[in-house]
């Protein structure tokens, strides 16, 4: 029996620590997705609707089912407090006062073993590193906005710029190859610390701008790590700082890429209408960049995906045509770091758009072509998930099973938040085909895999 369960003697239900501290439960609590909270408790503890209703009190089993299905919500502080008390969820996680059964916060901190506050592989980026990172971002904000106040006056030459550029390039390559993306974070955090210190020592405008460009690259990488870990708020902060630093450096391609990565957050949070103007800004900035780079073509590819989600076929096709112009470029059109878009990605981009538009006739050919190419694990997941979605649209059970199980295997290898989001999307879309017992079982398999993150 864990300590929390021991303190809750007399309560009919206490969810285990593994579930409480899982990414899935944390994300559900942060977003106040009570349907997901209830579903996780139901699936991972084996508690029936009646058990859950009895634990919460003043609630029926049918209402529990309605909440899980999204038919009804959870409103009112009193109800939320009963949910916390019923399941053993600390009040802080759902925005209500500390519950009577919770220990004093200082006791919690004192009881934590050192390994729990330093091991990034446990799932979440630990709070100590998060605080350090926020502090570094705050310092860099001042350095970018008010360089005249932060530049040192020692007159010593600054020779670290080339080192930062080489290290940033190396870290992007390591990030691309890493099976678990967050393992790169501690090195990025160390580079950020050194970079900010060198920004404070820069003695010329030229050197300062070069360091700003290095910061624009590094903060984009930090944002990618946060994004892959489903930390959208931290990712947004990182991308915003990357955009500011890139603007200060006068690097339009770097700036446009930071804006485009920020737009991905709106895309994954389904805020399509709000994402359109941000991508328009990225498009305008990219037009002032290097015409030999594929920056503007990548922006167009992301615009196409947003238009597809909005159901705007004509705008989507025009954007895809602009993205396709990348094939007319010669030489090196990307840098393999903050800009990786090139012609080989067109098939998967087209496939994703046509799936969103419900154009199975166009989607399957594009996605099949994409799978024939050498793809990173992340890109392969995107293609496989789109094929699974296409299978759902066509009610093709074999197609759904084949491609979804491939995504499940890649999730077990990577534990990536991105892969998990794609699995969750497939799981949500399975509802219309659950009459097939094989697909009902597949949905259960996905739920089991979600539990493996703890």
């Amino acid at each position: 029996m864990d300590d929390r369960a021991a303190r809750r003697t007399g309560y009919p239900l206490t969810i285990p620590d593994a579930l409480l501290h899982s990414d899935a439960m944390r994300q559900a609590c942060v977003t106040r997705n009570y349907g997901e909270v209830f579903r996780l408790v139901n699936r991972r503890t084996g508690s029936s609707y009646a058990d859950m209703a009895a634990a919460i009190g003043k609630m029926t089993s049918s209402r529990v089912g309605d909440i899980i299905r999204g038919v009804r919500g959870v409103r009112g502080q009193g109800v939320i407090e009963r949910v916390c008390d019923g399941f053993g969820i600390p009040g802080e996680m759902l925005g209500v006062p500390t519950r009577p059964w919770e220990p004093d916060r200082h006791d919690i901190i004192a009881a934590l073993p050192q390994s729990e506050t330093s091991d990034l592989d446990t799932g979440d980026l630990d709070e100590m590193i998060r605080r350090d990172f926020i502090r570094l971002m705050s310092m860099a904000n001042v350095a970018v906005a008010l360089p005249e106040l932060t530049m040192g006056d020692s007159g010593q030459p600054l020779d670290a710029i080339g080192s930062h550029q080489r290290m940033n390039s190396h870290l992007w390559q390591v990030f691309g190859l890493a099976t678990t993306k967050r393992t790169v974070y501690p090195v990025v955090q160390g580079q950020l610390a050194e970079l900010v210190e060198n920004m404070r020592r820069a003695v010329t405008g030229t050197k300062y701008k070069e360091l700003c460009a290095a910061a624009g690259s590094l903060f984009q990488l930090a944002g990618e790590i946060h994004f892959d870990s489903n930390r959208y708020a931290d990712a947004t902060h990182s991308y915003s700082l990357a955009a500011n630093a890139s603007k200060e450096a006068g690097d339009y391609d770097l700036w446009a890429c930071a804006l485009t990565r920020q737009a991905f957050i709106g895309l994954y949070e389904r805020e399509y209408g709000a994402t359109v103007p941000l991508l328009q800004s990225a498009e305008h900035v990219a037009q002032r960049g290097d015409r030999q780079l594929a920056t503007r073509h990548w922006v167009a590819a992301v615009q196409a995906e947003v238009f597809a989600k909005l159901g705007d076929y004509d705008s989507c096709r025009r954007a895809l045509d602009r993205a396709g112009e990348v094939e007319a470029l010669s030489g090196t059109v990307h840098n393999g770091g903050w800009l990786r878009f090139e012609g080989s990605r067109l098939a998967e981009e087209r496939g994703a758009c046509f799936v969103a538009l419900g154009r199975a006739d166009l989607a399957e050919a594009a996605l099949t072509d994409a799978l024939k190419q050498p793809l990173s694990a992340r890109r392969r997941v995107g293609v496989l998930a789109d094929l699974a979605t296409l299978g759902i649209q066509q009610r093709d059970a074999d197609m759904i099973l084949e491609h979804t199980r491939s995504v499940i295997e890649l999730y077990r290898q990577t534990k990536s938040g991105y892969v998990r989001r794609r699995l969750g999307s497939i799981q949500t879309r399975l509802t219309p085909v659950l009459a097939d017992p094989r697909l009902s079982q597949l949905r259960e398999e996905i739920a089991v895999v979600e539990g493996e993150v703890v």
Side-chain angles (χ1 to χ4, degrees):
M1 179 182 293
D2 58 46
D3 182 60
R4 185 168 51 88
R7 292 194 307 272
R8 286 173 51 80
T9 300
Y11 286 86
L13 175 60
T14 298
I15 65 175
D17 279 351
L19 172 57
L20 179 68
H21 299 302
S22 68
D23 285 345
M25 181 60 77
R26 288 180 181 275
Q27 182 71 13
C29 289
V30 167
T31 59
R32 302 297 189 263
N33 185 346
Y34 294 102
E36 180 67 4
V37 171
F38 279 44
R39 189 191 71 81
L40 289 168
V41 173
N42 171 243
R43 297 283 188 180
R44 299 194 190 178
T45 69
S47 301
S48 67
Y49 291 0
D51 293 335
M52 295 165 64
I56 295 170
K58 300 181 182 180
M59 185 173 289
T60 64
S61 57
S62 61
R63 182 177 177 186
V64 171
D66 287 344
I67 292 170
I68 290 176
R69 291 191 297 273
V71 176
R72 301 182 66 175
V74 173
R75 296 182 179 84
Q77 180 172 318
V79 181
I80 298 171
E81 289 176 351
R82 294 206 312 274
V83 170
C84 289
D85 293 339
F87 298 155
I89 299 174
E92 182 182 28
M93 290 181 69
L94 288 175
V96 296
T98 300
R99 312 313 303 144
W101 47 266
E102 292 186 63
D104 182 80
R105 186 169 182 83
H106 295 292
D107 294 340
I108 298 174
I109 295 172
L112 284 175
Q114 181 62 34
S115 62
E116 290 191 24
T117 59
S118 60
D119 185 3
L120 290 175
D121 291 330
T122 58
D124 289 318
L125 300 175
D126 68 40
E127 292 302 315
M128 181 178 296
I129 291 182
R130 279 167 51 80
R131 287 196 298 271
D132 286 345
F133 185 44
I134 291 171
R135 174 180 57 80
L136 289 172
M137 286 195 289
S138 298
M139 292 171 61
N141 266 317
V142 175
V144 170
L146 301 171
E148 69 278 6
L149 299 182
T150 57
M151 288 183 183
D153 57 1
S154 64
Q156 297 298 317
L158 183 64
D159 299 322
I161 294 171
S163 175
H164 279 300
Q165 292 171 339
R166 290 189 296 273
M167 188 61 177
N168 284 3
S169 178
H170 173 69
L171 286 174
W172 275 104
Q173 294 178 39
V174 172
F175 173 79
L177 294 171
T179 301
T180 305
K181 303 300 185 184
R182 60 177 174 265
T183 58
V184 187
Y185 181 79
V187 184
V188 172
Q189 196 266 353
Q191 278 295 105
L192 284 169
E194 183 178 341
L195 177 61
V196 170
E197 181 59 30
N198 283 326
M199 289 176 74
R200 295 172 62 187
R201 293 174 48 227
V203 294
T204 69
T206 299
K207 291 184 182 296
Y208 183 78
K209 286 183 178 295
E210 290 175 345
L211 285 172
C212 281
S217 171
L218 194 56
F219 277 115
Q220 283 194 58
L221 179 54
E224 288 288 88
I225 297 170
H226 286 309
F227 183 79
D228 189 75
S229 298
N230 289 341
R231 292 183 174 274
Y232 289 167
D234 293 331
T236 298
H237 198 168
S238 296
Y239 294 148
S240 296
L241 185 55
N244 291 337
S246 304
K247 176 184 176 183
E248 186 73 15
D251 190 325
Y252 294 104
D253 292 289
L254 188 63
W255 184 7
C257 286
L259 294 173
T260 303
R261 286 194 162 86
Q262 192 167 350
F264 266 106
I265 295 174
L267 179 61
Y268 279 90
E269 291 189 327
R270 301 182 181 181
E271 297 176 347
Y272 308 128
T275 303
V276 170
L278 180 57
L279 285 169
Q280 288 176 336
S281 296
E283 181 183 9
H284 294 325
V285 173
Q287 291 300 326
R288 299 190 63 178
D290 186 340
R291 305 300 291 180
Q292 294 303 310
L293 290 179
T295 309
R296 61 194 184 280
H297 306 92
W298 182 44
V299 175
V302 180
Q303 286 176 316
E305 189 170 355
V306 173
F307 287 133
K309 297 292 187 181
L310 289 168
D312 188 341
Y313 178 83
D314 291 337
S315 295
C316 176
R317 287 306 300 253
R318 286 194 293 270
L320 285 174
D321 288 343
R322 292 197 301 275
E325 292 172 2
V326 69
E327 295 180 316
L329 297 180
S330 59
T332 303
V333 302
H334 64 93
N335 56 29
W338 46 265
L339 177 61
R340 298 191 293 271
F341 185 81
E342 33 79 28
S344 71
R345 294 173 177 262
L346 291 174
E348 61 204 84
E349 297 289 347
R350 292 188 181 109
C353 290
F354 294 142
V355 168
L357 288 164
R359 294 296 302 269
D361 55 327
L362 300 172
E364 187 166 7
L367 293 171
T368 301
D369 286 344
L371 273 187
K372 295 175 182 177
Q373 302 179 34
L375 301 174
S376 66
R378 183 165 173 169
R379 289 173 63 188
R380 179 167 291 274
V381 163
V383 176
L384 291 169
D386 286 333
L387 281 166
T389 301
L390 187 61
I392 295 171
Q393 293 174 355
Q394 298 178 315
R395 303 295 196 270
D396 186 332
D398 291 334
M399 186 176 184
I400 299 168
L401 289 164
E402 176 188 355
H403 298 304
T404 302
R405 283 179 173 149
S406 294
V407 176
I408 288 173
E409 181 58 32
L410 284 167
Y411 177 70
R412 285 178 170 148
Q413 295 173 18
T414 66
K415 294 296 188 290
S416 164
Y418 168 76
V419 182
R420 190 175 183 193
R421 283 194 299 272
R422 297 309 301 259
L423 266 180
S425 177
I426 294 170
Q427 185 183 41
T428 300
R429 291 187 170 98
L430 284 173
T431 301
V433 295
L434 290 179
D436 187 320
R438 295 178 298 165
L439 299 179
S440 181
Q441 177 61 34
L442 180 65
R443 189 179 187 182
E444 295 299 322
E445 288 179 32
I446 296 174
V448 170
V449 169
E450 286 183 338
E452 292 176 357
V453 74
V454 300

